Amino acid sequence: MKREYPNDNNNIHPIYTGASSSSGKSKMWDDFTQPDTAVDELLAELGYQVKSSDMNDVAQKIQHLEGVFENDVALSQLVSDSVHYNPSDLSSYLESMISELNHNNNNINNSFVNDVVPSDDLQSIIYPPPSKKQKMLLSSSSSSPSPTNASSSSYNPNVNPTHNPTQIQNPNQIIIMDTQENGIRLVHTLMACAESVQKHDLKLAETLVNRACILAASQTGAMKKVALFFTQALACRIYNLNPNTPQDSPAFDDLLHMHFYETCPYIKFAHFTANQAILEAFAGQKKVHVIDFSIKQGLQWPALLQALALRPGGPPKFRLTGIGPPVHDNNNNINNNTDYLQEVGWKLAQLADNINVEFEYRGYVCESLADIEPGMLDLRDDEVVAVNSVFEMHKLLARPGSVDKVLGSVKEMNPVIVTVVEQEANHNGPVFMERFTESLHYYSTLFDSLESTVVNDGGVTVDNGGDMVMSEMYLGKQICNVVACEGVERVERHMTLTQWKSWFDSAGLESVHLGSNAYKQASMLLALFGGGDGYRVEESNGCLMLGWHTRPLITTSAWKIGSTR
């Protein structure tokens, strides 16, 4: 293996060159936004049919009931005969409770408690999926039938609407929630804290983040974990703390990435689908060159090497260019990270030698993909080029102009295919509250899928080798960056496929439909994971999406240089 020394004249450093030689599915997510009339999917899982347009109304009713529940006189009226009740019509059910409590206002304090969500203009409250064990206890001498359908009218606590007297027969009955009520209160508080941060009311935000921390501690499972990460991120923003930990480094980030790879199918899905597109684009070619925008541990490429080794007619000569970030020491000086990239190259070269694939590798260290110039990559006329980017493009959005610069360089490389995998989320908006709300939805779903993946048939969480804990940290670092950071420090600026497509189209790239083989490979992959019934892989406009139940989480797309370039 021939070693090449770094060139200090620019921000990209070639490390070394090594070589070994030898003798149609239906779409689930056609639209990425829900209409106002859609039922909120996070409450629907529990059986609560609440329209998105009614969420603010429901939130106000819950807020009002919180004031009632904090009244000791009201709570003292509870009787021991309780009926377990789980309404499907949450809005109307809450209103019936409030109506009855207002009717008996001589015993109950009907005032609002405004210290949880002190806002008159909060447009919506987002609730994560409550635990299936959540219940409401209705203290009554007789059972109550299901309430009527939800009303979309606004709520006025001073109005006592007429209701069916058979619904609530005991004039002294009081409704309470068990400890699972804290789940809704927790997200209520997180949202209020985020709004206070947006309004720069840091004193109130500090009070709310402390309350959220206490409420989060009372939760269990995925909800507790994701809430603690969001609470930590809000605290970092409120107190202006650096969310990065001392052990943060590209090597540590790659370690977290590897554990996340082992725990759940998301990164494997990204690699499998991108590799299948590259394999098909390389069909019949004798010399191929892959430029990987984020080599990390090189986990993506053994599968492609093996597929090429089995190709009819023999494998092509395979050249790989891997790009990785530099390491900074305590004095913020750049360490070229040569040993790390060299180790990745040696491992891949050894595999290639064992399966009789002629292989050449070169690693580059660079601060940003925008620093790459095609002339640095030793492009050769007799090679067919593929460019691969997995969870890297969104990081360019922190520096204006970087995406256009990289896409321009990609076009100069003249690849036959460009494979791009990105998170299917919108975390790049300028409004903090909208970004917070979207990220709370997104990461709640991710943590839910992660929890289900590592639970065995007996309902016990199995964490082999700490994969679960490290995977949670992998996602937690992203949450902290989305919520606590701004400017060039906020690199987790995820965008949806629709947004990326607009960008790529403007740059002169055309979409390439991923074939049925990629879909089949992804479907087979999901069958290997516990909780696989919750995962969904679907095709959308030639791209493949992997999601949890009805929520898309990551997208693989493929592109080529347009005919009019």
Side-chain angles (χ1 to χ4, degrees):
M1 179 164 300
K2 183 177 70 176
R3 185 180 183 92
E4 295 186 4
Y5 294 92
N7 178 1
D8 292 328
N9 294 328
N10 53 58
N11 292 326
I12 301 184
H13 307 290
I15 305 308
Y16 63 90
T17 300
S20 66
S21 61
S22 63
S23 348
K25 187 72 175 172
S26 62
K27 301 174 186 176
M28 177 180 294
W29 304 297
D30 289 332
D31 297 316
F32 299 100
T33 57
Q34 291 183 341
D36 291 340
T37 58
V39 172
D40 186 88
E41 63 183 42
L42 299 175
L43 285 175
E45 181 181 349
L46 188 63
Y48 298 142
Q49 304 300 313
V50 182
K51 295 180 180 179
S52 298
S53 58
D54 292 339
M55 291 299 290
N56 190 42
D57 182 40
V58 170
Q60 290 177 333
K61 294 172 185 176
I62 291 177
Q63 185 180 358
H64 177 58
L65 288 174
E66 286 177 345
V68 175
F69 297 152
E70 291 179 7
N71 186 296
D72 292 336
V73 176
L75 295 178
S76 68
Q77 298 182 38
L78 289 173
V79 295
S80 59
D81 185 18
S82 298
V83 178
H84 294 260
Y85 192 53
N86 183 10
S88 62
D89 186 345
L90 187 57
S91 180
S92 181
Y93 179 59
L94 291 171
E95 186 147 357
S96 68
M97 290 195 291
I98 294 167
S99 298
E100 185 63 28
L101 293 170
N102 283 336
H103 182 69
N104 297 282
N105 56 18
N106 59 319
N107 295 322
I108 298 174
N109 178 9
N110 288 319
S111 63
F112 272 77
V113 179
N114 291 317
D115 61 339
V116 176
V117 183
S119 168
D120 294 327
D121 60 352
L122 186 61
Q123 297 301 311
S124 63
I125 301 295
I126 307 299
Y127 298 94
S131 166
K132 293 184 179 179
K133 295 181 181 179
Q134 182 175 9
K135 58 185 178 293
M136 291 186 178
L137 303 180
L138 174 59
S139 177
S140 173
S141 60
S142 62
S143 61
S144 302
S146 300
T148 58
N149 293 334
S151 170
S152 60
S153 59
S154 60
Y155 165 64
N156 184 346
N158 298 317
V159 176
N160 183 12
T162 303
H163 59 277
N164 188 342
T166 63
Q167 286 185 296
I168 304 178
Q169 298 179 3
N170 185 346
N172 294 319
Q173 64 193 356
I174 304 295
I175 293 93
I176 64 170
M177 296 182 189
D178 68 4
T179 56
Q180 291 297 323
E181 169 202 356
N182 286 339
I184 295 179
R185 293 169 63 93
L186 168 59
V187 182
H188 202 76
T189 305
L190 285 172
M191 295 293 293
C193 182
E195 187 186 35
S196 298
V197 168
Q198 179 169 289
K199 293 181 175 180
H200 304 289
D201 188 349
L202 299 185
K203 183 177 180 180
L204 177 58
E206 182 178 349
T207 300
L208 291 170
V209 80
N210 290 333
R211 177 175 297 184
C213 187
I214 295 172
L215 290 170
S218 70
Q219 298 301 302
T220 59
M223 186 173 185
K224 177 177 183 178
K225 296 169 184 176
V226 74
L228 286 174
F229 278 120
F230 273 94
T231 302
Q232 177 189 10
L234 284 168
C236 287
R237 191 177 181 103
I238 292 168
Y239 296 110
N240 196 27
L241 300 176
N242 185 352
N244 296 323
T245 57
Q247 71 267 33
D248 279 350
S249 68
F252 182 68
D253 289 342
D254 286 352
L255 177 63
L256 297 181
H257 179 273
M258 183 175 65
H259 283 283
F260 188 69
Y261 175 92
E262 295 293 342
T263 305
C264 52
Y266 296 108
I267 298 177
K268 288 185 174 70
F269 168 87
H271 291 174
F272 273 45
T273 49
N275 280 351
Q276 185 62 39
I278 294 171
L279 182 65
E280 293 176 5
F282 282 170
Q285 301 297 327
K286 298 299 182 181
K287 295 182 179 180
V288 298
H289 181 192
V290 172
I291 300 171
D292 187 3
F293 280 173
S294 182
I295 189 67
K296 296 190 181 296
Q297 303 88 0
L299 296 175
Q300 180 171 349
W301 307 117
L304 182 61
L305 282 169
Q306 291 172 335
L308 291 171
L310 299 174
R311 196 178 71 173
K317 178 180 178 181
F318 184 85
R319 188 156 71 100
L320 176 63
T321 295
I323 298 170
V327 176
H328 294 80
D329 60 22
N330 294 333
N331 297 321
N332 204 34
N333 297 318
I334 294 178
N335 178 334
N336 289 328
N337 207 16
T338 58
D339 292 339
Y340 175 71
L341 286 177
Q342 186 177 31
E343 183 180 356
V344 172
W346 276 112
K347 289 179 179 178
L348 291 172
Q350 184 178 17
L351 171 63
D353 188 60
N354 290 337
I355 60 177
N356 299 320
V357 175
E358 189 175 354
F359 177 78
E360 184 178 342
Y361 172 85
R362 177 175 291 184
Y364 283 89
V365 170
C366 68
E367 286 274 12
S368 169
L369 293 177
D371 295 328
I372 296 173
E373 297 291 344
M376 302 174 181
L377 303 181
D378 187 25
L379 299 174
R380 303 169 188 173
D381 292 337
D382 60 345
E383 289 180 336
V384 173
V385 175
V387 175
N388 181 72
S389 174
V390 176
F391 302 143
E392 289 297 322
M393 293 296 293
H394 67 267
K395 299 176 184 178
L396 297 168
L397 296 167
R399 297 181 182 273
S402 293
V403 174
D404 292 329
K405 170 68 166 54
V406 169
L407 293 180
S409 296
V410 167
K411 291 177 67 175
E412 289 186 47
M413 298 173 195
N414 195 27
V416 293
I417 195 165
V418 181
T419 49
V420 178
V421 183
E422 284 293 331
Q423 291 88 346
E424 186 61 28
N426 183 12
H427 299 154
N428 192 40
V431 181
F432 173 74
M433 191 66 188
E434 294 176 0
R435 192 166 73 240
F436 183 89
T437 301
E438 167 70 13
S439 61
L440 185 58
H441 269 297
Y442 182 83
Y443 285 103
S444 294
T445 306
L446 261 177
F447 270 81
D448 185 42
S449 71
L450 195 64
E451 192 83 3
S452 299
T453 301
V454 297
V455 174
N456 63 19
D457 293 338
V460 178
T461 299
V462 179
D463 186 6
N464 296 323
D467 284 337
M468 179 67 166
V469 172
M470 299 293 273
S471 297
E472 292 164 358
M473 190 179 299
Y474 173 83
L475 297 176
K477 284 171 63 65
Q478 294 182 15
I479 292 171
C480 221
N481 188 266
V482 170
V483 174
C485 298
E486 289 295 346
V488 295
E489 298 297 324
R490 181 162 61 87
V491 296
E492 299 297 341
R493 296 171 175 261
H494 312 137
M495 297 200 310
T496 64
L497 174 62
T498 301
Q499 293 169 310
W500 282 118
K501 186 177 186 306
S502 176
W503 209 311
F504 292 162
D505 287 344
S506 298
L509 298 175
E510 295 180 356
S511 178
V512 176
H513 280 233
L514 297 172
S516 59
N517 286 333
Y519 177 87
K520 293 176 182 177
Q521 291 279 347
S523 299
M524 292 173 60
L525 170 68
L526 297 183
L528 302 177
F529 282 84
D533 289 344
Y535 293 109
R536 297 288 185 271
V537 55
E538 294 294 335
E539 185 265 347
S540 176
N541 296 321
C543 306
L544 290 182
M545 291 179 170
L546 175 60
W548 180 247
H549 293 293
T550 60
R551 168 109 196 192
L553 295 172
I554 68 172
T555 302
T556 301
S557 59
W559 308 84
K560 65 180 181 180
I561 307 301
S563 57
T564 59
R565 69 181 182 91

